[in-house]
Amino acid sequence: MLDATTDAVIVEDMQGEVIYHNPAATALYGWNTEDFRSLDVRQRVVAQADSFDRIKQEVFKNGHWSGESEQKIKSGKSIVVESRIVLVKDEESNPAYFLILKRDITEKKLL
């Protein structure tokens, strides 16, 4: 089902390693599976470090975050994405992974 959605879906473990990405994520960013796994999460985000840290803190505090951010794709071009990040917990309520949904809104922002 996640492979069929047009929104990019990325699942990261608690260390920021990509453990799943759907075809829409590949289409959006231009990265293949090896690229997703080899890039540090901060390399995938153009936002400043303090913004990244603020978002991460909000996800841990509230269990989710949504908003817009500028990100870099494989070609080096910057795009604006609308993101929703959800902290998924295991059976013992320990943080297990992040479910990340992204939609390119670059053209919408230009209007």
Side-chain angles (χ1 to χ4, degrees):
M1 182 181 331
L2 294 177
D3 285 348
T5 184
T6 57
D7 288 342
V9 177
I10 301 168
V11 178
E12 292 180 358
D13 66 16
M14 299 312 297
Q15 290 72 44
E17 300 286 327
V18 174
I19 55 177
Y20 170 81
H21 65 90
N22 70 348
T26 298
L28 176 63
Y29 289 103
W31 298 324
N32 61 29
T33 299
E34 185 176 316
D35 294 330
F36 271 106
R37 293 199 171 128
S38 66
L39 291 170
D40 179 87
V41 67
R42 288 179 188 248
Q43 289 176 297
R44 296 191 309 261
V45 181
V46 177
Q48 295 183 357
D50 62 336
S51 175
F52 176 83
D53 292 337
R54 181 185 50 75
I55 291 168
K56 187 175 178 181
Q57 288 175 350
E58 188 170 328
V59 172
F60 277 108
K61 179 181 176 186
N62 301 320
H64 61 88
W65 176 85
S66 60
E68 298 176 4
S69 62
E70 185 178 327
Q71 299 192 342
K72 190 187 313 183
I73 61 175
K74 188 172 186 173
S75 69
K77 176 183 166 188
S78 290
I79 61 171
V80 179
V81 296
E82 182 176 69
S83 302
R84 177 152 177 85
I85 304 170
V86 178
L87 178 62
V88 180
K89 297 183 179 183
D90 64 17
E91 306 81 34
E92 298 165 357
S93 294
N94 296 314
Y97 58 89
F98 299 102
L99 175 63
I100 305 164
L101 308 172
K102 296 181 179 274
R103 176 177 292 161
D104 184 357
I105 60 168
T106 306
E107 288 186 22
K108 179 180 171 184
K109 296 295 284 184
L110 294 174
L111 297 176

